[in-house]
Amino acid sequence: PIDELFVAISVNEQIPLDAAPAEVSPSVAQAFRVDRLPGGNLRYTSRNRRMVPTNVRASLQDEEPGLNEFEFQLGPFKCEAKVEGGLSFPVILDAFSFEVNSSLTYDVVITGLNAYRAVAHGDITTTMSSDVLINAAVTGSAECKYKVKEVQVRAPGWLGLFVGGQIPLEVGFALDAKAELAGIGYDAFFQSTMTAAFGFDCTGGCHAVGDLTSKNAGGFFKPRLPASFNELRTELAASLFGLATLKIGNPFEEDLQFKVLALRVGLEQKAELASEKG
């Protein structure tokens, strides 16, 4: 620990993270087509027109009788689901595209050996479109996330041997459905720029920093209905979201880091559908 190595130390640095090393999963090129847009931003578009659940692993029975929990892959997305009765969440992802661009600065302040501040702040812009279909009657919920990239955070110079971490940037979607027939789904689009500050500050008593301000946000949510929709009722809640997390600790061992704060922003919509006859 730093307080065992030094009698006194003072650090006050602001580190731009735009050019920081970013680890991108090797699965990106296999799962997404990457296009460079005017201005240098990258857009990721799913290569496979239709993604279905794979590698399904059921967990132990939940405390609620008849409710099953399990994990599965949906293309590159890692998903968790809770479903009444069945052992699968019958969701199909027809298309998914996204852009996540960040302009962040990482502040490291150490005064003496006790006062400490580590805060990442700046803008994160997320744009996503999604086309999801439920292909069977189901009552349950699912959430799927994909880590776009992971920005490596290091304190300056030799201090980087002791102070560091990662900022994973993720995108995803969530579903909560009570569907009595196959063919229910949605088309959705979401875009937002948020100004965020997240980390922890111990300069005047330790507390988490978690400020989030939406600069602009918009999008649409259009339910998809089957050809035959008579005398049936369906409830569908869905969201698209971007997620940023700051993990601080040993810069080389992720197991020795702790999650400081996670910020999440997105579009949430709910639809209650019924036929005129119903």
Side-chain angles (χ1 to χ4, degrees), residues 146-191:
Y146 176 67
K147 182 167 64 178
V148 180
K149 66 178 182 180
E150 189 169 77
V151 177
Q152 300 296 319
V153 176
R154 294 284 188 275
W158 56 266
L159 194 60
L161 297 173
F162 306 96
V163 180
Q166 290 90 32
I167 300 178
L169 299 176
E170 298 175 289
V171 297
F173 63 92
L175 287 169
D176 191 344
K178 294 181 180 179
E180 300 180 14
L181 74 168
I184 290 291
Y186 71 82
D187 298 328
F189 173 80
F190 166 74
Q191 61 180 0

Side-chain angles (χ1 to χ4, degrees), residues 105-127:
T105 299
Y106 182 55
D107 293 350
V108 179
V109 179
I110 301 177
T111 304
L113 292 176
N114 298 318
Y116 182 77
R117 184 174 187 266
V119 176
H121 57 91
D123 290 345
I124 301 174
T125 300
T126 305
T127 303

Side-chain angles (χ1 to χ4, degrees):
I2 293 177
D3 60 351
E4 294 183 11
L5 289 174
F6 302 96
V7 176
I9 185 174
S10 179
V11 176
N12 190 337
E13 294 284 347
Q14 287 190 332
I15 309 167
L17 298 181
D18 294 348
E23 296 182 3
V24 179
S25 170
S27 64
V28 170
Q30 297 178 356
F32 293 96
R33 185 185 76 248
V34 182
D35 299 311
R36 186 170 295 277
L37 305 177
N41 293 340
L42 298 178
R43 174 180 293 161
Y44 299 80
T45 305
S46 55
R47 290 185 179 275
N48 299 324
R49 178 59 188 169
R50 176 153 291 199
M51 301 180 189
V52 297
T54 58
N55 302 324
V56 178
R57 299 191 304 274
S59 64
L60 296 176
Q61 187 74 19
D62 191 80
E63 295 179 359
E64 298 181 43
L67 186 66
N68 295 286
E69 296 183 356
F70 57 96
E71 300 176 348
F72 60 92
Q73 292 284 134
L74 193 60
F77 291 87
K78 292 183 178 180
C79 305
E80 297 179 352
K82 294 182 179 181
V83 179
E84 292 185 7
L87 285 177
S88 65
F89 195 90
V91 60
I92 294 174
L93 184 61
D94 278 351
F96 197 97
S97 65
F98 60 86
E99 300 170 42
V100 177
N101 304 292
S102 61
S103 178
L104 297 172
T105 299
Y106 182 55
D107 293 350
V108 179
V109 179
I110 301 177
T111 304
L113 292 176
N114 298 318
Y116 182 77
R117 184 174 187 266
V119 176
H121 57 91
D123 290 345
I124 301 174
T125 300
T126 305
T127 303
M128 288 180 284
S129 63
S130 174
D131 187 348
V132 174
L133 181 68
I134 297 174
N135 66 344
V138 65
T139 298
S141 61
E143 181 174 283
C144 300
K145 296 187 293 186
Y146 176 67
K147 182 167 64 178
V148 180
K149 66 178 182 180
E150 189 169 77
V151 177
Q152 300 296 319
V153 176
R154 294 284 188 275
W158 56 266
L159 194 60
L161 297 173
F162 306 96
V163 180
Q166 290 90 32
I167 300 178
L169 299 176
E170 298 175 289
V171 297
F173 63 92
L175 287 169
D176 191 344
K178 294 181 180 179
E180 300 180 14
L181 74 168
I184 290 291
Y186 71 82
D187 298 328
F189 173 80
F190 166 74
Q191 61 180 0
S192 174
T193 297
M194 63 177 177
T195 298
F198 51 119
F200 62 92
D201 191 340
C202 293
T203 56
C206 289
H207 64 278
V209 176
D211 299 324
L212 177 64
T213 303
S214 179
K215 298 175 67 173
N216 57 71
F220 65 78
F221 176 86
K222 298 179 180 179
R224 296 171 58 188
L225 304 180
S228 177
F229 190 61
N230 295 322
E231 300 181 1
L232 291 171
R233 300 184 64 87
T234 297
E235 296 180 12
L236 177 66
S239 66
L240 295 175
F241 57 84
L243 180 66
T245 307
L246 177 62
K247 297 188 291 184
I248 293 296
N250 186 293
F252 304 106
E253 295 291 337
E254 189 170 354
D255 291 341
L256 299 180
Q257 298 173 8
F258 62 94
K259 183 184 295 185
V260 180
L261 196 66
L263 297 181
R264 175 167 165 165
V265 62
L267 172 71
E268 296 185 5
Q269 295 288 326
K270 182 177 181 180
E272 297 182 1
L273 309 172
S275 63
E276 293 183 359
K277 294 182 179 180

